[in-house]
Amino acid sequence: MTKYVINGGKRLNGEVTISGAKNAAVAIVPAALLVDGPCRIENVPKIIDVTLQLEILRELGVSVRLVNATTVELSGECNQDKDKIPYDLMRKIRASYYLIGALLGKYHKAEVTMPGGCNFGGVRPIDQHIKGFEALGAKISIREGGYIHAEAPNGLKGAHIYFDVVSVGATINIMLAAVLAEGMTIIENAAKEPHIVDLANFLNAMGADVKGAGTDVIKIRGVKKMHGGTYSIIPDQIEAGTFMAAVAACGGQALIKNVIPKHLECITNKLTEMGVEVTEYDDAVLVTRTGKLSKTNIKTMPYPGFPTDMQPQMTTALCLAEGTSIITEGVWDNRYRYTEDLIRMGANIHVEGKVAVVEGVSELKAAPVRAYDLRAGAAMVIAGLAAKGTTMVEQVTNIERGYENLVEKFVGLGADMYRSEIPDSSSPMPNAK
Ligand code: EPU
């Protein structure tokens, strides 16, 4: 089993370059299905979720050409035979559901498995996606074998859709379905994350007419066809935030390059409250932590609020801050499972429903831990880097779903860690199943 072995307790110093945004890439890659003509996508992160999506597109008959390490060119019509998409491939990633919006938008028919991906232990419903597709005129049914069948034999027609909850996935899926629909679609209570804006910019660069992305009302005037082109994905806000939180937890100074500082503002503000110095440049931030960390309170919310995908990493840094910090998870019902491992490392955390109360401790102690999900895994790496001794992180596939070369990047900042493929019976996981 692959694991990360971390000899922690060292400061982080140096430079790191941030990759393309995972949550933009997993929307933009399937969006290429809507386009007639070759579509070149740059700054694509090399992560498992994107590799799986490219495999799915290949299975659908799309030509996928890797131009270089971070550029991919997609072209050709897809053949929509569902048997061509292995169930196992699709259920591994949650974002496979973007194939519904893209296939429905282009071919008026889609058959896709129920989404997999990160499981925080709570429910991840898709009722808002279904409500939006139905408003556009599609019929949705759940079929044998866990497939969602969506069909609009008479084509999709623009509609006025009001989401009951702010959902990144539902906003993206309806944007994908609506760009080629007849007439105008208005999405109200839309998500405003940077990756929503990035998807809109991609679609517009390929000939779509999407206005208002980044506000809570998105207006999409359907076009008959979209054309090929070239587009570069934005840098990953959460990857950048993860390195910022790691410097906060370990101390040191890192220049984090290829970022959009505006997207990091809420993270920067919290780190500043904690006593970390953050200097913004045009496309980089310099993060310095020399003194002690101070407590703060965090409530996660949809953008521009504090991102839920940074909650585990910041909670980990706050374990080492002086005083009592209160974290409130405002997006997901259950995203604190990783705190059990932090407690085993000596953290003092009390979780009650959506609230975690963290009493700062002076140090964390190395222990074998697990990457329960993508961001929980990043948090375990941060904890291991900050703790004295050797921490082993298991289930790292969950980390590699969404972080490109995380180990190499931390090693570049002076961390002593490596990826081990060697089975090791000397450190069994507690309660291992
Ligand atoms: N929700 C509903 N009904 C729906 C959809 C969502 O009630 O039909 C609820 C969810 O239960 C949740 C809230 O709305 O409480 C927000 O969910 P959202 O739909 O925004 O989440 P998502 O699209 O499934 C994306 C990211 C997540 C990130 C969330 C919130 C991708 C592929 N995933 O998920 O990213 O946590 O938005 O920002 O974009 C991660 O990168 O680690 C990750 C989990």
Side-chain angles (χ1 to χ4, degrees), residues 22-23 94 124 126-128 167-169 309 331-332 375:
K22 163 191 168 263
N23 288 345
R94 177 156 184 86
R124 294 186 70 171
I126 58 163
D127 56 298
Q128 299 303 305
S167 160
V168 169
D309 295 341
V331 176
W332 295 108
R375 308 304 172 186

